[in-house]
Amino acid sequence: MRIAAARETAPGETRVAITPESSARLVKGGDQVVVESDLGEHCFWGDEHYRDAGAEIAPDRRFAFEKADIVLAVRRPTIEQASQLRPGGLLIGFLDPFRKDGTIEALAARGVSAMSVEMMPRTTTAQKMDALSSQHSIAGYYMALLAAERLGKALPMMVTPSGAIHPARMLVIGSGVAGLQAIATGKRLGARVEAFDTRPVVKEQVESLGAKFVEIDLGDTGQTEGGYAKELTDEQKRRQREALADRCAAADIVITTAQLFGRPAPVVVTRAMLARMKPGSLVVDYAIESGGNVEGSQADKEVEIDGVRVLAMRNYPAMVAVDASRMYANNLAAFVEELRDPESGELKLDLERDLIASTLITHKGEIIHPMIRERLGAS
Ligand code: NAD
């Protein structure tokens, strides 16, 4: 198979979908790899590193995509870029398939088969291809670091002849993959960490990291078949906010990572809760791309609300581009290996396989994924 990647053009995107390491892996498996010149510039990988790993260097995007069977990407293409993809070819990336801006329709119209890594089943067998998890982990780690750097206070307890410093208090709301990594990083930095999630199964995972789980009696919260959280009732939301307001007031750092798959993120920190927090404390909102967890947070900005700083970057993994890219490119290489017919070495999209049916959004000129079709209102 001929596999290509071009430079990402989304503002602030520094990650890449093919690294020299993943290129070598794909070439070893019998594929040809072609990357646009300067693909890895933000990750300190020059064209020579890709060449040494067996990749061909293309002068531009059009050339890279010309004969590609598979295009690997970090972000969704623009509509114009979609029109440069080869009809009949396959595109794999974070396609943000619920977003209604005509991109998915453009991919279908172009005759491109498009697979969205967000739709990967969260099962043990798919773990090595789980790009959401790899990028959430890096983001969780980085959010804790960023909070530590911005706080203006030390995180660990220090007892010195110059005085004693109490450990900083960190509260993590939403303890999925990103939240758990933020908890682990906060603990390593010496903070006193507590965390909450609406899925009760998470309690044990939080405690195994040495953090305290905040118990709130919300009644039945359940989870979806895919293991994702369900939206709370208004009464449950009220109870959660009431209980967490006290915890926020005691915290120096609050990191929010609460998400509802394919839906707007829940507001877990309100203006009233911010007003009760200590001046100078810091809130990091991970959910801004899906609407935000914190009332008043603004994309890619640090805003001050009632003396509390609220930070909401859209792309934390891009700030750790080298390792985020390495993990993501490994996820994609593992995915490509699953799509390669073991006998012919050619691309095989077997729609009977869950892995493929779950992730394939457009195929043969149509939006074929039932959930995306319905949400985009395709006829
Ligand atoms: P996510 O990004 O969809 O959500 C983040 C967290 O927010 C979740 O833990 C969710 O329960 C929580 N949340 C939602 N509403 C909330 C609210 N109002 N208040 C507080 N927390 C709230 O989740 P994710 O990190 O992508 O993980 C999704 C699921 O996939 C989890 O069940 C996870 O354990 C599972 N998973 C399984 C595997 C596997 O290999 N088996 C791998 C990765 C993830």
Side-chain angles (χ1 to χ4, degrees):
M1 298 185 287
R2 191 168 164 87
I3 303 171
R7 292 165 56 121
E8 297 292 325
T9 56
E13 188 52 80
T14 53
R15 295 170 292 169
V16 295
I18 298 182
T19 61
E21 188 186 336
S22 75
S23 168
R25 173 173 170 177
L26 293 168
V27 169
K28 196 169 167 212
D31 299 320
Q32 285 175 291
V33 173
V34 50
V35 300
E36 185 181 357
S37 182
D38 281 341
L39 178 77
E41 67 165 334
H42 300 294
C43 299
F44 318 106
W45 297 311
D47 289 351
E48 68 281 10
H49 295 106
Y50 282 96
R51 248 187 232 111
D52 289 348
E56 188 185 317
I57 307 298
D60 58 31
R61 158 182 302 269
R62 210 173 264 281
F63 192 91
F65 289 174
E66 213 171 16
K67 294 184 215 130
D69 298 301
I70 306 180
V71 168
L72 300 180
V74 180
R75 304 285 280 265
R76 63 190 348 228
T78 60
I79 293 180
E80 192 201 334
Q81 288 166 352
S83 72
Q84 295 166 350
L85 292 165
R86 190 174 67 70
L90 175 67
L91 168 71
I92 309 177
F94 279 101
L95 301 184
D96 196 2
F98 295 103
R99 194 178 290 265
K100 293 184 181 178
D101 67 355
T103 306
I104 300 296
E105 289 83 347
L107 288 166
R110 179 73 180 163
V112 171
S113 299
M115 291 179 128
S116 191
V117 292
E118 293 97 323
M119 307 303 287
M120 186 70 70
R122 309 300 285 277
T123 57
T124 311
T125 44
Q127 242 171 352
K128 60 181 189 243
M129 295 165 265
D130 186 347
L132 266 185
S133 286
S134 72
Q135 304 306 292
H136 280 340
S137 293
I138 286 278
Y141 153 79
Y142 191 72
M143 283 188 289
L145 275 196
L146 191 62
E149 195 266 327
R150 303 288 304 135
L151 188 63
K153 280 182 72 174
L155 266 60
M157 182 170 84
M158 290 186 204
V159 180
T160 77
S162 317
I165 295 175
H166 296 292
R169 288 174 178 269
M170 179 184 282
L171 170 68
V172 177
I173 306 176
S175 308
V177 181
L180 288 171
Q181 201 56 243
I183 295 168
T185 308
K187 286 296 294 180
R188 272 183 230 130
L189 292 172
R192 187 178 290 176
V193 185
E194 47 183 18
F196 174 71
D197 198 290
T198 49
R199 290 180 303 120
V201 294
V202 171
K203 178 175 190 280
E204 205 182 296
Q205 296 162 14
V206 167
E207 288 173 348
S208 74
L209 293 170
K212 183 172 169 240
F213 188 75
V214 178
E215 306 270 1
I216 307 175
D217 182 10
L218 295 179
D220 181 24
T221 47
Q223 56 181 35
T224 68
E225 262 177 42
Y228 289 105
K230 282 190 174 166
E231 188 171 6
L232 300 181
T233 64
D234 287 347
E235 173 57 16
Q236 286 173 323
K237 284 182 200 163
R238 194 193 57 76
R239 274 200 252 167
Q240 170 175 334
R241 286 172 184 167
E242 196 177 277
L244 288 182
D246 286 344
R247 306 319 316 142
C248 286
D252 299 295
I253 296 170
V254 176
I255 297 179
T256 68
T257 74
Q259 300 268 9
L260 298 165
F261 186 74
R263 320 197 39 187
V267 173
V268 294
V269 179
T270 60
R271 288 295 283 260
M273 290 160 82
L274 289 174
R276 285 192 52 205
M277 289 180 68
K278 290 176 284 193
S281 44
L282 191 76
V283 182
V284 183
D285 184 352
Y286 183 45
I288 193 71
E289 280 273 53
S290 41
N293 284 149
V294 183
E295 225 169 35
S297 64
Q298 289 180 34
D300 293 332
K301 288 203 176 120
E302 182 179 299
V303 292
E304 196 175 306
I305 304 173
D306 291 326
V308 176
R309 288 166 297 152
V310 180
L311 181 66
M313 305 306 287
R314 274 186 297 193
N315 192 347
Y316 298 97
M319 295 169 190
V320 194
V322 172
D323 284 323
S325 300
R326 290 185 60 222
M327 288 162 86
Y328 182 54
N330 284 341
N331 296 143
L332 292 181
F335 197 9
V336 166
E337 284 160 8
E338 289 289 329
L339 305 178
R340 198 192 282 140
D341 181 18
E343 274 161 29
S344 67
E346 295 303 313
L347 176 64
K348 187 173 175 201
L349 293 181
D350 176 358
L351 291 167
E352 299 292 310
R353 295 180 64 195
D354 183 35
L355 183 67
I356 293 164
S358 306
T359 49
L360 192 60
I361 311 294
T362 65
H363 191 47
K364 298 195 170 154
E366 291 195 44
I367 301 175
I368 62 159
H369 194 288
M371 191 199 297
I372 305 297
R373 219 183 140 78
E374 189 194 319
R375 292 286 287 276
L376 295 183
S379 52

